Amino acid sequence: MLIRVEHTTEYAYSEPLVSSTQYLRLTPLSGRTQVVESWRVSAPGAVTHQWYDQYRNCCHTLTVAQPVTELAIKVSGLVRTRDTNGVVGLAPAELPLGLYLRETPYTVCSEPIRDYSAPFRSKMNRDRIEALHEIMLAIADDVEYTKGETHVHTTGAEALEQGSGVCQDHAHVFCAVCRTLGIPARYVSGYLSHGAGHEAHASSHAWADAYVEDLGWVSFDPSNRTGATEAYIRIATGLDYAEAGPIRGVRSGGGVETMSYSVMFPSQQQQVQ
């Protein structure tokens, strides 16, 4: 599938923003599931510098060095995706798999997480793929997709306890459960396209990968009860949202900050022959 993305994140400030430094993870890379044909990140009035983090995510440091009251970060690009039945495989150079067993503040393996994981342990030893699908579906059932009941700092354990959350929370619960069971898992951020042609629309999205022997990384999206298809564009991976989220940073001044964003998949979306 050929997908064109136009994504704008806009900030408005009640007082002049004196300075700001933000890390952007908004640029996809080519791999088994996608080929990036063109991509551009821009932020009028700011300076950006490209670099790569330890996970080989393409990142930008954005710096605002003069007072502004508005800031817009714009992304546009063209990505050709393919359906691999959720199998991502392995990159030519991978970090040690043991790294992806680490707990983080978002994916702490708390007692409730350990209790939740226990029923899947015996199945995991017999059929890892089937067990991972069961975990994905269980999270979808037990953590209802509900907007507005969690926030950017909500942990997977908190979302599981309250029984509601969004895609970010689902991914954190999945990673925490997998790591409790000794399965390397990582958080994935990107875009998900819905529909096609003139009716196509999109959203920023998050899901997870788990490591399966002989296959490498395999994707699981509890929010949609499926592995990633050709409708998914992968942007960044990490241990959790803090390491793979699209925009993170600090600022000085600005007063009250208001943020809005829009993502579009325009009509230049078509099936690859």
Side-chain angles (χ1 to χ4, degrees):
M1 182 181 290
L2 189 62
I3 305 175
R4 184 180 298 278
V5 177
E6 295 179 3
H7 174 192
T8 301
T9 303
E10 297 179 306
Y11 298 91
Y13 303 96
S14 61
E15 301 174 9
L17 177 68
V18 178
S19 64
S20 176
T21 299
Q22 300 192 56
Y23 292 152
L24 312 181
R25 289 178 173 86
L26 293 169
T27 303
L29 296 175
S30 296
R32 178 174 181 173
T33 66
Q34 62 193 30
V35 175
V36 181
E37 300 199 353
S38 64
W39 199 265
R40 182 171 183 265
V41 177
S42 63
V47 176
T48 59
H49 173 72
Q50 182 176 302
W51 52 283
Y52 293 87
D53 67 11
Q54 67 270 35
Y55 302 103
R56 298 302 298 166
N57 298 317
C58 182
C59 311
H60 291 80
T61 300
L62 179 149
T63 304
V64 176
Q66 59 186 12
V68 297
T69 56
E70 297 179 343
L71 176 65
I73 301 171
K74 300 180 180 180
V75 168
S76 61
L78 191 64
V79 180
R80 190 178 298 271
T81 62
R82 61 189 293 256
D83 191 353
T84 60
N85 295 313
V87 177
V88 181
L90 292 171
E94 288 275 353
L95 292 171
L97 290 173
L99 172 70
Y100 298 99
L101 295 173
R102 289 177 50 190
E103 293 184 40
T104 71
Y106 280 112
T107 62
V108 61
C109 299
S110 62
E111 185 173 349
I113 288 287
R114 292 195 296 271
D115 291 343
Y116 189 79
S117 306
F120 302 104
R121 189 173 296 277
S122 60
K123 173 61 73 68
M124 188 68 73
N125 294 331
R126 298 194 306 271
D127 189 329
R128 181 171 294 191
I129 280 288
E130 185 174 346
L132 289 168
H133 278 93
E134 288 184 3
I135 292 169
M136 175 184 71
L137 296 175
I139 293 171
D141 289 337
D142 298 331
V143 183
E144 182 180 1
Y145 187 95
T146 309
K147 293 183 178 180
E149 294 191 3
T150 56
H151 50 77
V152 71
H153 300 297
T154 300
T155 69
E158 290 169 341
L160 179 63
E161 182 178 0
Q162 72 183 41
S164 61
V166 293
C167 58
Q168 172 182 313
D169 305 302
H170 287 159
H172 284 148
V173 176
F174 185 90
C175 287
V177 170
C178 285
R179 292 170 190 168
T180 297
L181 296 170
I183 306 302
R186 63 188 185 185
Y187 183 100
V188 187
S189 65
Y191 298 111
L192 174 58
S193 171
H194 307 273
H198 291 282
E199 296 181 358
H201 64 285
S203 57
S204 296
H205 195 49
W207 59 99
D209 288 340
Y211 179 77
V212 178
E213 292 183 5
D214 300 325
L215 292 177
W217 294 107
V218 180
S219 63
F220 296 88
D221 179 6
S223 298
N224 290 289
R225 301 172 178 266
T226 184
T229 68
E230 72 274 13
Y232 290 67
I233 295 178
R234 302 171 63 88
I235 298 291
T237 62
L239 294 181
D240 57 19
Y241 171 81
E243 295 190 336
I247 301 176
R248 291 177 61 85
V250 296
R251 64 184 173 95
S252 175
V256 177
E257 178 184 78
T258 303
M259 182 187 75
S260 62
Y261 73 93
S262 62
V263 187
M264 295 187 297
F265 284 70
S267 58
Q268 295 92 332
Q269 176 176 317
Q270 60 189 21
Q271 289 295 125
V272 175
Q273 301 299 320

